[in-house]
Amino acid sequence: MTFQDKLEAYAALAVEVGVNIQKGQYLLVNTNTEALPFARLVVKKAYEAGAGRVHVQLTDDVMTRAFYEHASDAEIERYPEWSAAQRNEIVERGGALLWIDADNPDLLSGIDVNRISAQQKVAGQALTKYRAAAMKDDIAWSIVAVPSKDWAAKIYPDLSAEAGVTALWEAIFSTVRIGEGDAVQKWRDHLLNLEQRANILNEKKYHKLHYKAPGTDLTIELPPLHQWLAASSTTPQQVSFVANMPTEEVYTLPLKTGVNGYVSNTKPLVYQGNIIDKFTLTFEDGKIVKAQAGVGQDLLQQLMQVDEGSRYLGEVALVPHESPISASEILFFNTLFDENASNHLAIGEAYPTCLEGGRDFTDEEIATAGANISITHEDFMIGSAEMDIDGILKDGTVEPIFRKGNWAF
């Protein structure tokens, strides 16, 4: 395949498998100026697939940093109503949302963490309706990524700017199974394999998981109504979509108050344009009671102060160490990719869909079922080739789930 052939296939994959656009459906594309050429191709593919209207919301890294550097404190502490209304209209119309990520991992390096935290809080509060729709799979949404010069330079510091971008393109194509054969069919086969893993875990109905690895000894209790899900989700209209491309995970939610022990990250967490790394979190009855980071300590503390739920976990995801992204031995400095090379957890909000019947639950019912509620959801990577995970049944029986970083069944 030529480079243009791969671009065409990637755009089609994002439209047809990612958000699975339907006839007459509205699509909101969020991206930045670095991704504009690819965004144009996505728009074309979406209209060819029958989209009713496609709108592209563009940001720009230079302008974004200027906002955090120079905007007044009053503006940092507000979120535009029109921006929230835009996403809310997409939800009300039964539209779809696509993010094309091309962010610079160091975009906000050096910015006062209090300004970053303040903006995140008001954005989370303003986008409550949209976030609830996405977390409950009421709308189709997906995230894909394309290279930017700054991102490529972060990954390939020894290459020229052009060579770095080219190398990152090829790495991305590989992770999303584009290069040889029918990418759409490859994805169907891949999704089926993940669903089979999730089915096995659902049949087991483990009471707890026990993680052991260097720097980690963590026990996670699972709610009685928990269910394991794979990459493909379904809207109430029975439209399937894939939220993350690439994806290698099966996932569920923890019991909010059922996490005890300590866990260390194995890959950097890129959070709000900054890097948090070399950190260990200690839990008691679900709550983070101690957090120490070698890099980004202040930002880690701010993350845990977003709201009450940001001191608890909302997601448990299993990813084998022997996955295509892990095998590439590339540190992407991007959660979309790095979380799919490693077992990971998420601080903050739980997916209600990980509860049996949870899509229709009220917030009160979600909380009663043992799930965490928050305005944030931040994945961090904990897996390695040295990680063992046991499943513990209600009667105390212990069974291996992972050994040396990979599936034990």
Side-chain angles (χ1 to χ4, degrees):
M1 297 176 74
T2 66
F3 178 72
Q4 187 60 36
D5 289 337
K6 292 178 181 178
L7 280 180
E8 295 274 347
Y10 192 23
L13 194 65
V15 169
E16 297 173 21
V17 177
V19 294
N20 191 7
I21 202 71
Q22 302 295 293
K23 297 294 184 183
Q25 191 176 28
Y26 275 32
L27 174 64
L28 174 60
V29 180
N30 291 287
T31 190
N32 69 28
T33 50
E34 290 273 357
L36 189 53
F38 183 72
R40 290 174 177 144
L41 187 55
V42 164
V43 170
K44 176 175 175 287
K45 295 291 185 182
Y47 280 125
E48 288 176 348
R53 181 180 292 270
V54 184
H55 179 73
V56 178
Q57 180 69 41
L58 284 172
T59 59
D60 177 82
D61 283 355
V62 175
M63 296 179 189
T64 297
R65 186 171 177 96
F67 169 72
Y68 281 96
E69 287 181 330
H70 304 297
S72 67
D73 289 346
E75 287 304 314
I76 288 289
E77 293 176 1
R78 70 178 293 271
Y79 190 84
E81 293 179 7
W82 56 262
S83 185
Q86 180 190 55
R87 296 194 190 184
N88 288 342
E89 182 179 351
I90 290 292
V91 172
E92 291 163 2
R93 286 181 171 271
L97 295 120
L98 176 67
W99 282 263
I100 304 174
D101 185 1
D103 290 345
N104 173 7
D106 296 317
L107 176 60
L108 300 183
S109 178
I111 297 293
D112 183 349
V113 296
N114 293 304
R115 289 169 71 81
I116 295 171
S117 177
Q119 177 63 194
Q120 189 209 13
K121 285 181 182 179
V122 295
Q125 292 161 357
L127 298 174
T128 298
K129 180 177 180 178
Y130 140 77
R131 285 183 57 82
M135 296 298 281
K136 287 188 173 183
D137 293 343
D138 286 341
I139 56 171
W141 58 281
S142 188
I143 307 173
V144 298
V146 301
S148 66
K149 295 186 293 294
D150 289 329
W151 182 22
K154 182 76 174 180
I155 300 174
Y156 304 106
D158 298 328
L159 298 181
S160 68
E162 182 179 356
V165 168
T166 298
L168 185 50
W169 266 121
E170 290 305 318
I172 291 173
F173 287 145
S174 177
T175 65
V176 293
R177 293 170 165 78
I178 288 175
E180 295 182 9
D182 185 342
V184 172
Q185 185 57 50
K186 285 184 177 181
W187 267 89
R188 287 173 179 156
D189 295 341
H190 175 52
L191 295 175
L192 179 60
N193 177 59
L194 293 176
E195 287 167 6
Q196 290 171 341
R197 297 283 187 188
N199 289 339
I200 292 172
L201 291 169
N202 283 327
E203 289 172 2
K204 287 291 185 180
K205 207 68 174 179
Y206 289 114
H207 177 54
K208 293 181 180 179
L209 305 178
H210 184 200
Y211 291 71
K212 288 279 290 185
T216 294
D217 187 349
L218 190 72
T219 301
I220 299 177
E221 186 174 347
L222 305 177
L225 293 179
H226 82 273
Q227 60 182 357
W228 291 89
L229 301 177
S232 183
S233 303
T234 306
T235 69
Q237 294 75 36
Q238 299 305 303
V239 175
S240 62
F241 65 94
V242 178
N244 294 341
M245 303 184 81
T247 185
E248 302 290 336
E249 68 180 316
V250 295
Y251 63 98
T252 191
L253 78 173
L255 181 67
K256 178 179 178 178
T257 57
V259 183
N260 289 279
Y262 57 91
V263 63
S264 299
N265 74 306
T266 52
K267 292 180 183 290
L269 165 59
V270 179
Y271 174 65
Q272 299 293 311
N274 286 270
I275 290 175
I276 306 173
D277 199 9
K278 299 180 175 62
F279 62 89
T280 299
L281 305 178
T282 302
F283 294 82
E284 290 181 7
D285 297 329
K287 189 174 185 177
I288 301 172
V289 295
K290 186 178 180 181
Q292 292 181 305
V295 177
Q297 176 70 28
D298 290 346
L299 198 60
L300 178 59
Q301 292 296 331
Q302 289 287 350
L303 168 57
M304 294 186 302
Q305 294 169 16
V306 171
D307 59 15
E308 172 63 20
S310 63
R311 281 190 173 271
Y312 295 83
L313 294 182
E315 181 183 352
V316 178
L318 301 179
V319 180
H321 183 70
E322 292 178 358
S323 67
I325 300 173
S326 181
S328 74
E329 297 186 344
I330 297 172
L331 178 58
F332 282 90
F333 295 98
N334 182 297
T335 300
L336 175 64
F337 294 87
D338 291 334
E339 73 170 6
N340 285 297
S342 170
N343 287 314
H344 57 273
L345 306 170
I347 291 171
E349 188 166 14
Y351 291 102
T353 49
C354 288
L355 293 168
E356 295 174 15
R359 188 204 296 270
D360 300 320
F361 283 8
T362 64
D363 283 353
E364 183 179 352
E365 290 170 327
I366 290 170
T368 299
N372 190 33
I373 296 175
S374 175
I375 61 172
T376 192
H377 180 98
E378 294 294 335
D379 298 282
F380 63 98
M381 286 61 75
I382 64 168
S384 71
E386 300 175 88
M387 176 164 277
D388 292 341
I389 305 174
D390 287 327
I392 305 172
L393 295 170
K394 193 73 173 178
D395 65 5
T397 302
V398 178
E399 298 178 344
I401 298 177
F402 267 57
R403 286 294 180 266
K404 299 299 181 183
N406 293 299
W407 292 105
F409 58 81

